[in-house]
Amino acid sequence: MVGIFDSGIGGLTVVRELQKKLPKYDLIYFGDTARTPYGTKSKETIVKYALEDAQILLNRGAKVIIIACNTASAVAYETLKEKFKVPVFEVITPAVRRALELTQNKRIGVIGTTATINSSIYEKLLKEGREKIEVFSAACPLLVPLVEEGWLDTRETKMIVKKYLHPLRTKSVGTLILGCTHYPLLKKIIQPRIGKRVNLVDSAEEVVKEFQQFLKDNPKIDAELSKTSQAKYLASDVSARFQNIAEKWLSKKVELERVDVL
Ligand code: DGL
């Protein structure tokens, strides 16, 4: 089974992509909805939560872990990689690679949670990846709660997105990294507000591409993953709202099981 976790529903953007590209692979998802958001918390707390989240998935038989959360990827990836024996994937380097491929004017915008932006990881990796890259970052702390609340298309959300994107728009970014797995749920309102011609890089799409390539390169590990098109969804708090968004986003019935965090 492929184990995927996020602080809440954002990682479902990775689930959707995985089900599109690798529909046979069994997966188990954990959304830490009781403790979301992570992006406003300290590094220590995020690392502790991420370790617990991964352990829940491993206890249920996950053979690989995808950290479907930029915040946890930014601050906890190294710790998870060291601690667990299974392959661990994060969402940041695949998005960086894609942004560097796409950029023409070398002006790249990054939006994410406060923890992700404060980690400066995107800026560091983008600048290491290519010379003369200019990076413009904006923390957008209100977007995760708005998505978790299901306010995907409200006037208020549109106004907030516009306000967050304004400084990046004035810098004429040609490529914008959606540096939070919740943000693809807002793609339709982000695109017109940053500019029709700006390339959006979706970390969910990029991590799945990376994972597909990994499976090709590692047939032994691929063979260990069960392929019966099953999906299991766990959450630390189960609510009707979570259920609704999950079913809408995945276009299927989703049965949520509540699990206690360790
Ligand atoms: N989806 C998570 C991310 O990619 C949200 C983080 C949060 O809970 O603040 O960063």
Side-chain angles (χ1 to χ4, degrees):
M1 254 186 310
V2 181
I4 302 172
F5 77 84
D6 177 42
S7 61
I9 61 169
L12 292 173
T13 58
V14 175
V15 169
R16 186 163 95 161
E17 195 57 26
L18 194 82
Q19 290 180 332
K20 195 162 115 197
K21 299 277 168 54
L22 298 166
K24 290 231 148 46
Y25 287 68
D26 296 342
L27 68 88
I28 180 157
Y29 181 79
F30 175 63
D32 194 5
T33 43
R35 304 190 294 194
T36 197
Y38 284 7
T40 46
K41 301 200 164 70
S42 69
K43 186 174 186 297
E44 291 70 29
T45 301
I46 298 165
V47 171
K48 176 178 175 286
Y49 288 178
L51 284 167
E52 292 170 357
D53 301 344
Q55 193 61 60
I56 287 171
L57 297 171
L58 294 170
N59 290 351
R60 300 281 190 121
K63 297 274 186 269
V64 300
I65 298 287
I66 300 180
I67 309 175
C69 173
N70 282 261
T71 307
S73 295
V75 303
Y77 170 66
E78 294 298 333
T79 312
L80 263 64
K81 206 174 69 169
E82 259 171 46
K83 163 116 201 209
F84 301 116
K85 293 210 168 59
V86 301
V88 180
F89 294 84
E90 45 79 29
V91 283
I92 293 171
T93 39
V96 165
R97 198 171 308 132
R98 184 65 183 144
L100 292 174
E101 271 165 27
L102 285 171
T103 186
Q104 286 184 352
N105 69 358
K106 297 191 177 170
R107 299 169 76 80
I108 300 177
V110 183
I111 53 173
T113 64
T114 306
T116 300
I117 298 304
N118 284 350
S119 77
S120 303
I121 188 154
Y122 275 105
E123 186 159 356
K124 179 175 168 282
L125 295 176
L126 286 163
K127 289 186 170 165
E128 271 172 20
R130 200 157 142 194
E131 274 180 9
K132 298 202 180 114
I133 289 285
E134 287 194 85
V135 182
F136 305 93
S137 305
C140 308
L142 294 174
L143 300 188
V144 168
L146 288 167
V147 170
E148 292 283 328
E149 200 52 46
W151 286 27
L152 303 182
D153 200 25
T154 65
R155 200 163 53 91
E156 293 80 0
T157 304
K158 287 177 185 159
M159 275 165 50
I160 292 167
V161 166
K162 187 170 172 199
K163 194 164 169 67
Y164 279 143
L165 294 180
H166 180 71
L168 303 184
R169 202 174 167 141
T170 59
K171 298 287 183 199
S172 306
V173 298
T175 302
L176 177 70
I177 299 181
L178 306 180
C180 171
T181 51
H182 281 69
Y183 299 172
L185 286 131
L186 299 173
K187 233 183 208 171
K188 280 198 196 126
I189 69 172
I190 290 174
Q191 184 76 70
R193 284 162 188 83
I194 189 67
K196 274 201 302 265
R197 284 198 203 92
V198 173
N199 294 306
L200 297 187
V201 177
D202 176 335
S203 50
E205 285 172 12
E206 300 311 319
V207 71
V208 171
K209 277 191 214 159
E210 172 117 343
F211 182 55
Q212 279 184 292
Q213 188 56 47
F214 171 84
L215 295 177
K216 274 191 198 139
D217 297 341
N218 296 275
K220 263 200 186 152
I221 296 175
D222 188 13
E224 278 175 32
L225 298 173
S226 54
K227 300 173 188 72
T228 62
S229 306
Q230 309 265 338
K232 188 142 197 58
Y233 300 92
L234 314 174
S236 48
D237 183 45
V238 167
S239 64
R241 180 163 40 84
F242 183 98
Q243 181 103 26
N244 283 343
I245 300 177
E247 292 187 350
K248 236 201 222 153
W249 185 250
L250 299 174
S251 314
K252 65 172 84 159
K253 183 122 194 57
V254 168
E255 220 167 278
L256 281 175
E257 180 188 329
R258 198 184 72 80
V259 293
D260 284 324
V261 270
L262 309 171

